[in-house]
Amino acid sequence: MNALYVAAAAEPQNPLIPHLDELVIGLIAFVIVFGFLAKKLLPNINKVLEQRREAIEGGIEKAEEAKTEAQSVLEQYKAQLAEARHEAARLRQEATEQGATIIQEMKAEGQRQREEIVAAGHAQIEADRKAAASALRQDVGKLATDLAGKLVGESLEDTARQSRTIDRFLDELEDGASKAEAAR
């Protein structure tokens, strides 16, 4: 080895090629440091990495569970929303039907009231017509009696006979008018 040292000393040293003793010492130091790191530091690193992996996997599992639960809640919400829409549509339909029923009832009530008013009006008109006819008969009878009394020259004050004569005369007039209307 001495010869090698002497030959190496005679030649200029290449800075890229290390000395053999430096190489051996470096290799021994590397093995010691690597052994120390493998025994002491590597289990701690593996432990921390395992904890992180478990935390990440746990987080992923929790996220998946949360996603599944959120999906379930979303489906329930959609079902409730669909049910609420269906219920609202049903209530609208019922309200429409009730409205139509109420409108129809109100129309029927209005028709009934109109018919009552018309019937009451006809009855009032008929009563007024009869009252007017009665008053007219009395007035015509009195005028006819007064006129006949003036023509005859004596008073015709017998009221019973006077009423019968007037009634017969007016009945004949009404019959004649009825027959004339029927002939048209």
Side-chain angles (χ1 to χ4, degrees):
M1 259 210 190
N2 271 344
L4 194 56
Y5 282 122
V6 174
E11 289 183 21
Q13 174 102 15
N14 186 356
L16 295 178
I17 300 175
H19 291 290
L20 185 61
D21 54 350
E22 288 177 1
L23 213 66
V24 171
I25 291 173
L27 187 61
I28 291 172
F30 177 75
V31 169
I32 291 172
V33 170
F34 185 76
F36 173 74
L37 289 177
K39 289 285 185 183
K40 294 285 183 187
L41 196 57
L42 193 60
N44 288 339
I45 291 173
N46 283 337
K47 183 179 174 185
V48 169
L49 288 176
E50 184 64 28
Q51 287 174 350
R52 283 190 179 177
R53 185 186 61 79
E54 287 175 1
I56 290 171
E57 287 178 358
I60 291 173
E61 288 174 4
K62 286 180 184 176
E64 287 295 323
E65 288 174 5
K67 182 181 176 183
T68 304
E69 185 177 340
Q71 189 68 26
S72 171
V73 169
L74 179 65
E75 292 299 321
Q76 288 176 353
Y77 170 73
K78 285 181 180 179
Q80 288 175 349
L81 184 62
E83 184 178 327
R85 285 182 179 158
H86 179 69
E87 183 69 17
R90 185 184 64 77
L91 290 176
R92 273 194 309 271
Q93 181 66 27
E94 284 180 8
T96 303
E97 290 172 359
Q98 287 177 353
T101 302
I102 290 171
I103 288 171
Q104 194 163 5
E105 288 173 358
M106 295 303 283
K107 283 182 180 179
E109 179 66 20
Q111 182 69 21
R112 185 189 61 77
Q113 288 178 356
R114 184 187 69 84
E115 289 173 1
E116 285 178 2
I117 291 170
V118 168
H122 285 303
Q124 184 65 37
I125 289 172
E126 184 63 28
D128 289 347
R129 188 189 66 76
K130 285 183 181 179
S134 175
L136 185 61
R137 277 182 185 235
Q138 288 176 355
D139 289 345
V140 167
K142 183 161 177 35
L143 287 175
T145 306
D146 290 344
L147 183 61
K150 287 182 182 178
L151 286 176
V152 173
E154 52 181 81
S155 176
L156 302 172
E157 293 293 325
D158 183 13
T159 55
R161 188 180 347 146
Q162 186 180 12
S163 291
R164 285 192 307 268
T165 304
I166 293 169
D167 287 340
R168 188 177 65 236
F169 176 71
L170 291 175
D171 287 339
E172 288 175 5
L173 281 177
E174 286 179 4
D175 287 343
S178 298
K179 289 178 183 176
E181 285 182 20
R184 286 186 194 175

